[in-house]
Structure formats: C-alpha cells, structure tokens
Amino acid sequence: MVVRIKTGKSIHGALSYNERKVEEGTAECIGGNGFLKELNELNFYEKLEVFMNLNERNTRTATNTIHISLNFDPSEKLKMDDLNSIASSYMDKIGFADQPYLVYEHRDAAHPHVHVVSTLIQADGARIPTHYQGKNQSEKARKEVENEFNLVAAQGKANKIKETLKPVALEVASYGRGETKNSIVRIVSNVTRNYRYTSLA
C-alpha cells in the first residue's frame, strides 16, 4: 500500500474534488466516520458543514485540511468492505479515530485506490500536528495495515503505481458554459500533477 498525504487550506476544495469525481461516475463515497446520517442521505453541503463546524473552532490555523490517498497494487482485488476497513484502520492508527472523515473509492486509474478527506481541527479547537506525520505515524501505520490485511508491501511500489495512472482528458475552460472556478481548478490541478512543464503559461 502506498500512502500519499496532502494538507491544505480548503476543506471545500478537497471535498469538491471527490464529489465531482462521484458526479462524473469515476468515484463513489463508500464510507465515513463522525456523521450522524447515513452517507447516502447527505448532500454536499451537509458533508461540508460537519467539517466547517470544526474548522470554525480554530480560525488561527490556516492549514486545516488533510487529503490522503491509499493506493493498492493492481493485483489486489479489494471489495468495498475491505477498502473501508483498511481506511478505518489506517485513520485510527494515525490519530483520526475521533475525527469526521469521508472515504471515496476512485476508479480513474489502473490500480485500486481510495481518497480520505478530513479536518485537522479537533472538537476542542486544537489542531492535530502533521509535522513528520508521513515519516512517523503514517509509515508505522502503513506497515501495520499491510500486515493486518495481507496487502502487497509498499517497498518499491510507489513508482509503479505512478506509472499506471491514466492521463486525464482535459477540456478547455469556456467562460459562461460551466463553473469557471471549478474548470480552472480541474485544469491546474491536473496539469501540475500529471505534466512536466517549464512554465505555467
């Protein structure tokens, strides 16, 4: 299992990215933690509100969002329950057992993977520290989860998984035909993630 962790300043952006994938039919919200309703009964704004309620308890912290992807070997045929159990175990082990989070299964690449979105702000307003999280908690958790679920070990797998990512077909942003901000975000995030370029222009 290969883990990628991103922290950011916009829970709205991280949630929108995954919900847009759901709308496009390339992802599905398969699980979560800390939501009072069943996930299929929640709309985008109800999901966002749970995260925003915590983020508003600490307005001094700019970086309040975590977006994690758990990537598995293409040979692994994991069912939805397996993916949920793996994500839950991993989140517990890195200290997010009491945090609300959502788990999305993505089907836009040649390997199985899930994205997990959460907030770094706890109920008491304290921020979960993320310095060295990848090196410390995440690496330890990854190895434990691999053993617990008999997953293919991550050693040497990161580059192979990167090679199996399908290139995303980008559409030219056309003012007035769609949401301009979402079009720009989609293009810029895909270009910076999937292309090599010498200048942004």
Side-chain angles (χ1 to χ4, degrees):
M1 181 175 78
V2 174
V3 179
R4 293 196 175 93
I5 301 174
K6 289 183 181 177
T7 56
K9 300 176 181 179
S10 174
I11 191 68
H12 188 284
L15 187 60
S16 293
Y17 169 79
N18 287 282
E19 289 289 318
R20 190 164 50 249
K21 292 282 187 182
V22 172
E23 287 174 16
E24 292 168 358
T26 58
E28 182 181 353
C29 186
I30 62 168
N33 185 59
F35 290 82
L36 298 177
K37 284 185 182 178
E38 292 295 319
L39 292 175
N40 60 1
E41 297 174 4
L42 293 167
N43 63 36
F44 172 85
Y45 296 102
E46 290 171 319
K47 292 173 183 175
L48 181 63
E49 185 179 2
V50 170
F51 295 124
M52 292 302 294
N53 281 340
L54 289 176
N55 286 356
E56 287 166 3
R57 297 179 190 192
N58 184 339
T59 54
R60 296 183 317 278
T61 297
T63 302
N64 55 23
T65 301
I66 191 163
H67 191 174
I68 300 167
S69 69
L70 306 177
N71 303 271
F72 308 98
D73 191 84
S75 67
E76 293 174 307
K77 307 301 179 198
L78 299 165
K79 296 178 181 171
M80 186 187 299
D81 288 343
D82 299 326
L83 293 171
N84 258 322
S85 297
I86 290 166
S88 177
S89 178
Y90 174 81
M91 293 300 281
D92 287 355
K93 291 176 191 303
I94 65 166
F96 280 75
D98 297 326
Q99 290 297 98
Y101 60 80
L102 292 168
V103 182
Y104 293 86
E105 179 184 7
H106 283 232
R107 302 183 190 101
D108 57 353
H111 66 283
H113 64 291
V114 295
H115 287 235
V116 186
V117 178
S118 187
T119 173
L120 297 171
I121 308 304
Q122 300 173 90
D124 63 359
R127 182 185 183 276
I128 296 174
T130 54
H131 295 296
Y132 304 110
Q133 187 174 54
K135 184 179 175 184
N136 298 335
Q137 299 99 309
S138 180
E139 185 66 8
K140 181 174 181 286
R142 176 189 62 77
K143 290 176 181 175
E144 289 175 2
V145 169
E146 285 174 350
N147 289 332
E148 183 182 349
F149 294 93
N150 295 316
L151 300 172
V152 175
Q155 301 330 88
K157 295 288 176 188
N159 290 335
K160 285 185 181 177
I161 283 178
K162 199 170 183 180
E163 288 165 12
T164 63
L165 288 172
K166 292 179 182 175
V168 178
L170 295 176
E171 294 179 12
V172 175
S174 182
Y175 184 75
R177 284 188 54 219
E179 292 185 41
T180 305
K181 182 179 177 185
N182 284 343
S183 296
I184 293 169
V185 168
R186 187 168 47 252
I187 291 168
V188 172
S189 64
N190 278 304
V191 167
T192 56
R193 188 168 50 244
N194 298 315
Y195 293 85
R196 290 185 180 177
Y197 50 88
T198 54
S199 72
L200 197 53

